[in-house]
Amino acid sequence: MEWSISLSEDRRYAAVVTSGTADNIGSLAMVKAITTVLGKTKIKRVLIDHRNISKVSGGIVDTYNRPKEFEGIGVPQDIKVAEVVRPEHRKFFDFLETVCVNRGYDFSTFEDEKGAVEWLLKT
């Protein structure tokens, strides 16, 4: 999976755009990169745009354990993450949202960027 990270114009959130195949190894590498950016900028909000993802791989157990892996690499609990996904990948990312929320992360999945940004910037 490929990704790019930038800061929004007003520097209120980090914007990530992904492409390729979303898999466990690539996803964790992306999360590590995001965590590094957050640590350097003190930004606490992340918009991840997965609409260019062609395929999602990973099983239920991998997804269920993902928040534990986040904790292991130092993802702060006080961040807010909005993910924009294609409708055909919604089921996968909705499950990821559920397990992340259950582990204390402020995380939500959307199919449109406008709704994701509005939610992300709400205090």
Side-chain angles (χ1 to χ4, degrees):
M1 178 169 76
E2 296 80 42
W3 68 87
S4 63
I5 303 172
S6 60
L7 302 181
S8 65
E9 282 187 21
D10 57 6
R11 298 182 59 88
R12 293 179 68 192
Y13 62 90
V16 181
V17 178
T18 64
S19 62
T21 298
D23 62 351
N24 289 336
I25 294 170
S27 296
L28 280 178
M30 178 192 70
V31 170
K32 287 178 185 177
I34 293 168
T35 302
T36 299
V37 169
L38 296 180
K40 291 178 180 177
T41 63
K42 306 299 183 207
I43 291 173
K44 299 291 183 184
R45 295 179 174 143
V46 181
L47 175 68
I48 304 174
D49 186 345
H50 286 305
R51 291 176 292 179
N52 292 326
I53 291 291
S54 57
K55 181 181 174 186
V56 177
S57 68
I60 292 172
V61 173
D62 293 328
T63 305
Y64 181 80
N65 290 323
R66 186 50 50 110
K68 192 176 205 176
E69 293 175 311
F70 292 166
E71 293 165 9
I73 60 175
V75 176
Q77 285 282 161
D78 61 344
I79 65 169
K80 189 172 187 179
V81 178
E83 291 198 321
V84 183
V85 302
R86 293 165 48 176
E88 61 267 31
H89 299 146
R90 185 72 191 241
K91 185 176 177 180
F92 175 88
F93 285 103
D94 280 350
F95 181 59
L96 177 62
E97 174 186 335
T98 298
V99 297
C100 286
V101 168
N102 287 344
R103 292 292 282 241
Y105 289 101
D106 198 359
F107 191 105
S108 194
T109 304
F110 301 85
E111 289 182 21
D112 68 286
E113 185 174 346
K114 184 177 185 247
V117 171
E118 286 173 2
W119 176 85
L120 191 63
L121 296 179
K122 255 188 218 177
T123 53

